[in-house]
Amino acid sequence: MQTAHAAMSMCIALLSHARAMAFAPVFSAGVTSRRLAQQSAAVSSSLLNRTAGRPAPGVAVRPFFHRATGAGSRGLSARSAVSTPKMAAGDKNGATVEVPSIAVEVTADAPSGELLIVALHAAASPSDDADDADGAEAENEEDKALSLPPQLAGLDASLSGALSELLEDATFSGSAGSSTPILRMPSGGSVKRVALVGLGKAGSPKVDAAYRDAGSFAIKTGLTLKAAQAVRMAFADLDSPTGLAAVAEGAHLAMFSDSRFKGTLKASVTAEKKREERLPRTLSLSGVSVAASDVSGAIGRGAALAAGVTLTKQLVAAPANVVTPTSLAETAQGIAAAFPDCECEILEQADCEALGMGSFLAVGRGSSEPPKFIHLTYKPAGASAVKKVCLVGKGITFDSGGYNIKAGAGSMIALMKFDMGGSGTVLGAARAIAELKPNVEVHFIVASCENMVSANAYRPGDIITASNGKTIEVGNTDAEGRLSLADALVFAEKLGDVDYIVDLATLTGAMIVSLGHDVAGLFSTNDGLAEALTSAGKATGDPMWRLPLVESYREGLNSSLADMNNIGGKGAGSITAALFLREFVKKTPWAHIDIAGTAWSEKKGGATGFGVRALCHWVSSLEKDTPAESK
């Protein structure tokens, strides 16, 4: 009891400190012209970079307290002006910033300039089609001699045999992600520096990911040079529109470096300035045999995907005093303002109460941040959509665990800003889909709040009622994500005539234990939907593994007092969480993707943007389906 009393005293002290800090000064949009540019209003659908006049990925979202609304949206509550402490005046403030742009072009001109990157596939072998169960390549590329493709013989001759020299002297197999050192060419030549980058085997399931990495490699290598404003890449024969899109995507992704929260330390300012000065502005590609009519679309697709992934990374990486439910709502409104095919509605607490969302609202009761229920819609213009789908994202912008507070070295409480990873992915996908314009109606739904401790917070043992009438006994306040998603799933199905519902959530630590940080867990009530999502993940480098909805484990969710409990037994935590969510979808084909392990990876530098590409690929694939009946 003494330990519990001490913990409660500490919580009260922390809460008092938080209330005092609520009056800390907030960011002023007029601090500097550069920061004002970073906080510029949401741009038009072409997303023109104002300085370079080229398409730039990312939506520049308005500062938090600017009350602009998108089409059909409701104003945000003024209550957010006196909530948790924001960053001090003079610091950078904003969930997202505008991303530098790069022009990607296809050319038949002979390579010239500061830097040439030549991309080569690994040597072929009789076992090229031998793949393991999850699509990994069964090969040992390092032991295979690699010769220069005949299509590049003329380029090699114009470079005085430099490509052949690199192949002979460097330990380079062409495996995906491999590269050679930069070779300095003799003065007076058309090209000053040359390097090779590997694409892995042609036809590999991972080849598009290799193209994406090669595009990033070209830009990052250009950044190491002082004057590489234009970078050239040469291919033996890039004949795939998806490969071309991947190269463009990789180039755009490499343009962004997250320095939003660096201060005025001289080293930080100098490093940021140097990077801005050295950023390449053009990537020219030769050896591309994609049909001329497909080139623009492929490059545009790559830029749109990069925009979505970068937006997701920025949202997930930002701290919880910057990405709040209010700022997520404003991000959605920024997308609606930028794209005429989108509209956004923000449901305030009173709206959610009127809809009976007791499960969602219980989670946010302990926070001074107002909950926001976000409903962003993309409808294709001038067409009857072939399908209508809902993408639902978990939006817990900080998870303390509630009264079952996260404690101890393994609690990951310091990382709980990433618990809105599902909503970040859904909004990133919305950003990309709005520009890709598939003939599919897509609803993006986020029930966003914080899970905090206070006198108003929900407690273990409480019984709450969801919007479908089910009563839930709270067995653990740290199993909050499923409670917020429950009402979001009910809302999604009540939209009517929905063909599919897919939710994404950083839901269970058990998923990290079972599948680690490279593969997401997939659960579904529909085999066709599960197969389509798995295929989309394999094609885009967002791998998913389907896990079973074991019926006998449903008993673990039983409650003697309510319709169900929000936690199951000791084992199979990811499965019982998925079984809980299934209770809130009546008939619509549904899938749940647990991205607890994949949304954040220290090995990959933090926020990964996992799931954006897979969702966009899956939604685009639905265009091939038969038209939906009139709704």
Side-chain angles (χ1 to χ4, degrees):
M1 291 294 292
Q2 288 179 340
T3 302
H5 178 73
M8 182 58 67
S9 298
M10 182 180 294
C11 288
I12 293 171
L14 289 172
L15 286 165
S16 299
H17 176 69
R19 291 190 183 102
M21 287 297 292
F23 298 97
V26 298
F27 172 81
S28 169
V31 173
T32 68
S33 59
R34 182 173 68 85
R35 287 169 186 157
L36 177 60
Q38 288 177 325
Q39 302 301 322
S40 60
V43 291
S44 65
S45 59
S46 61
L47 296 181
L48 296 182
N49 179 285
R50 288 169 295 167
T51 57
R54 291 185 293 268
V59 170
V61 182
R62 293 176 172 85
F64 291 160
F65 301 110
H66 191 103
R67 290 286 175 261
T69 58
S73 57
R74 302 184 185 183
L76 298 174
S77 169
R79 177 180 163 192
S80 61
V82 286
S83 54
T84 55
K86 307 300 178 186
M87 301 187 73
D91 288 344
K92 297 174 186 178
N93 184 16
T96 63
V97 295
E98 191 174 350
V99 179
S101 67
I102 184 168
V104 180
E105 61 185 20
V106 172
T107 180
D109 296 341
S112 62
E114 290 286 332
L115 177 64
L116 170 64
I117 304 295
V118 180
L120 298 176
H121 285 290
S125 73
S127 60
D128 277 355
D129 13 323
D131 296 338
D132 65 17
D134 67 353
E137 299 171 49
E139 59 183 56
N140 185 3
E141 295 170 342
E142 287 74 11
D143 297 333
K144 299 169 188 172
L146 182 61
S147 57
L148 195 68
Q151 298 97 320
L152 296 175
L155 175 60
D156 189 34
S158 70
L159 297 173
S160 303
L163 303 184
S164 298
E165 183 179 337
L166 281 169
L167 284 177
E168 291 172 4
D169 293 347
T171 305
F172 179 74
S173 63
S175 60
S178 63
S179 62
T180 68
I182 300 173
L183 177 65
R184 185 70 163 85
M185 301 296 294
S187 59
S190 60
V191 175
K192 292 187 178 181
R193 296 172 181 84
V194 180
L196 306 181
V197 64
L199 297 172
K201 286 184 179 180
S204 161
K206 298 180 179 180
V207 69
D208 285 347
Y211 276 122
R212 184 166 59 242
D213 291 342
S216 291
F217 173 80
I219 301 307
K220 291 175 181 178
T221 305
L223 266 169
T224 65
L225 308 176
K226 289 184 179 180
Q229 292 293 298
V231 176
R232 290 294 301 265
M233 286 192 77
F235 300 86
D237 183 19
L238 174 51
D239 61 355
S240 163
T242 61
L244 178 57
V247 172
E249 181 189 350
H252 281 288
L253 288 172
M255 296 294 287
F256 176 66
S257 176
D258 200 347
S259 60
R260 290 173 293 166
F261 307 110
K262 298 287 187 181
T264 56
L265 190 67
K266 184 176 179 181
S268 299
V269 173
T270 301
E272 185 177 354
K273 181 179 179 182
K274 182 181 292 187
R275 189 179 194 278
E276 290 175 355
E277 291 172 348
R278 292 186 174 185
L279 271 176
R281 299 299 176 186
T282 304
L283 177 63
S284 299
L285 312 175
S286 58
V288 177
S289 59
V290 173
S293 58
D294 294 333
V295 167
S296 178
I299 292 175
R301 181 175 182 82
L305 289 172
V309 171
T310 303
L311 176 61
T312 296
K313 286 184 175 182
Q314 291 192 54
L315 290 172
V316 176
N321 63 329
V322 171
V323 169
T324 63
T326 297
S327 67
L328 282 183
E330 290 186 343
T331 299
Q333 289 179 313
I335 295 171
F339 296 95
D341 295 336
C342 293
E343 57 183 36
C344 183
E345 180 182 36
I346 307 300
L347 302 183
E348 303 293 341
Q349 179 167 332
D351 301 315
C352 296
E353 289 171 350
L355 292 172
M357 295 183 179
S359 185
F360 163 52
L361 291 175
V363 177
R365 266 184 8 212
S367 175
S368 59
E369 289 286 343
K372 303 290 177 183
F373 192 96
I374 302 163
H375 180 201
L376 176 65
T377 306
Y378 161 78
K379 291 183 180 180
S384 176
V386 297
K387 293 290 181 183
K388 178 179 178 180
V389 302
C390 292
L391 302 180
V392 181
K394 176 183 173 183
I396 306 299
T397 57
F398 187 78
D399 179 20
S400 70
Y403 273 102
N404 291 106
I405 195 164
K406 295 178 184 290
S411 70
M412 296 174 63
I413 190 169
L415 193 57
M416 283 302 109
K417 64 179 183 178
F418 97 118
D419 211 19
M420 40 62 65
S423 63
T425 301
V426 164
L427 291 175
R431 165 62 186 82
I433 287 170
E435 189 160 5
L436 293 173
K437 299 183 182 300
N439 189 24
V440 178
E441 181 178 326
V442 189
H443 295 258
F444 308 91
I445 297 168
V446 173
S448 184
C449 62
E450 287 185 331
N451 184 25
M452 303 294 281
V453 182
S454 78
N456 294 324
Y458 75 137
R459 297 149 294 224
D462 283 1
I463 295 178
I464 56 182
T465 305
S467 51
N468 65 348
K470 286 184 184 286
T471 58
I472 305 163
E473 182 180 5
V474 180
N476 191 318
T477 60
D478 197 21
E480 85 300 329
R482 65 199 70 181
L483 295 176
S484 63
L485 286 170
D487 283 327
L489 292 171
V490 172
F491 182 92
E493 191 166 42
K494 284 185 176 179
L495 291 174
D497 297 323
V498 177
D499 294 294
Y500 303 107
I501 298 173
V502 178
D503 77 74
L504 293 92
T506 51
L507 204 63
T508 62
M511 186 55 61
I512 303 176
V513 175
S514 58
L515 293 181
H517 292 283
D518 293 335
V519 182
L522 170 67
F523 302 84
S524 183
T525 56
N526 183 276
D527 291 342
L529 175 58
E531 291 170 7
L533 289 169
T534 302
S535 296
K538 184 179 291 187
T540 58
D542 288 339
M544 307 172 198
W545 189 271
R546 189 180 185 186
L547 295 169
L549 291 163
V550 183
E551 292 298 333
S552 60
Y553 295 171
R554 171 62 181 81
E555 296 177 3
L557 294 170
N558 289 342
S559 166
S560 59
L561 297 174
D563 293 333
M564 59 192 306
N565 203 299
N566 75 325
I567 56 171
K570 291 184 179 180
S574 298
I575 296 176
T576 55
L579 288 168
F580 179 92
L581 294 178
R582 189 185 64 175
E583 296 286 320
F584 299 89
V585 182
K586 288 183 178 179
K587 298 183 294 183
T588 308
W590 160 79
H592 159 62
I593 304 174
D594 193 332
I595 59 172
T598 55
W600 188 276
S601 170
E602 294 294 342
K603 182 177 70 174
K604 297 176 183 177
T608 64
F610 182 96
V612 172
R613 299 182 190 95
L615 290 179
C616 292
H617 184 94
W618 172 65
V619 169
S620 295
S621 73
L622 296 176
E623 290 188 286
K624 302 173 185 177
D625 290 353
T626 55
E629 296 179 3
S630 58
K631 303 191 188 307

